[in-house]
Amino acid sequence: MDYTCEVMINARLEEVVNALLDHNVMLQWQKELSKVVPVEQEENAYLLFYKVGNEELAMKESIKEENLPESITVRSEVPGAYKESINYFIEDNGKTIWMIEVALHFDKPNNIPKEAFNEKTFKDMLKFKAFIESSI
C-alpha cells in the first residue's frame, strides 16, 4: 500500500530537518509518544513507545538511508507490519516543502482503508508543522 503526503512549513529547511530528527523535540509534538530508547548494537535505531488507550505500543524506527538535507528514508516496524517512508525536504523562499512517500507492508491482509493511513500521516505532519511554526 503506497501513498504520498505533502505540507509547506513556514520555517527554514535546516530548522525543519533538525527538529524532525531530534527525539527530544519529537516527545514535545507527539503527545502520545511516551519515551524513546536507543536500540543497543544497532546504529540509528530506536524504540519509540506510544500510549494507545491503556496500552503501550513499541515501534522500532531505523534510519535506512540519509541524504540530508534533501532526504532521509526511515523504516518503522511493529509486529505484523512495517513502513518505509522516504522524506523529502525542499527549501522554497525560507519555507520548507516536506513530502513523504510511504510504502506499507503487512504480514497478513487487512481491511483498513488506505485513506486511514494517509489521513493519519497527514495529521501527524500538520501537528509537526504547527509545533515548529509556533516554536520559531
Side-chain angles (χ1 to χ4, degrees), residues 19-36:
L20 195 61
L21 298 178
D22 185 328
H23 288 110
N24 291 322
V25 173
M26 188 183 291
L27 286 161
Q28 296 174 44
W29 69 271
Q30 287 192 30
K31 300 301 181 193
E32 57 279 340
L33 181 62
S34 59
K35 65 182 171 182
V36 178

Side-chain angles (χ1 to χ4, degrees), residues 83-95:
K83 171 177 78 172
E84 295 271 347
S85 304
I86 305 172
N87 295 262
Y88 297 99
F89 308 99
I90 302 164
E91 188 146 27
D92 184 14
N93 292 321
K95 298 179 181 181

Side-chain angles (χ1 to χ4, degrees), residues 5-75:
C5 294
E6 181 178 311
V7 296
M8 173 73 81
I9 301 173
N10 293 316
R12 291 185 4 255
L13 182 132
E14 182 180 341
E15 293 170 317
V16 169
V17 171
N18 288 343
L20 195 61
L21 298 178
D22 185 328
H23 288 110
N24 291 322
V25 173
M26 188 183 291
L27 286 161
Q28 296 174 44
W29 69 271
Q30 287 192 30
K31 300 301 181 193
E32 57 279 340
L33 181 62
S34 59
K35 65 182 171 182
V36 178
V37 179
V39 175
E40 290 185 27
Q41 318 263 310
E42 280 190 58
E43 191 175 334
N44 293 323
Y46 298 87
L47 287 177
L48 284 67
F49 292 88
Y50 290 90
K51 297 262 187 208
V52 181
N54 293 329
E55 303 289 319
E56 187 171 68
L57 171 72
M59 179 175 67
K60 182 180 175 187
E61 181 180 87
S62 310
I63 296 174
K64 293 300 176 191
E65 186 175 327
E66 193 173 320
N67 186 30
L68 293 172
E70 290 84 20
S71 67
I72 187 166
T73 302
V74 178
R75 181 179 173 119

Side-chain angles (χ1 to χ4, degrees), residues 92-105:
D92 184 14
N93 292 321
K95 298 179 181 181
T96 303
I97 299 167
W98 175 26
M99 184 179 73
I100 303 178
E101 292 179 356
V102 178
L104 288 166
H105 305 273

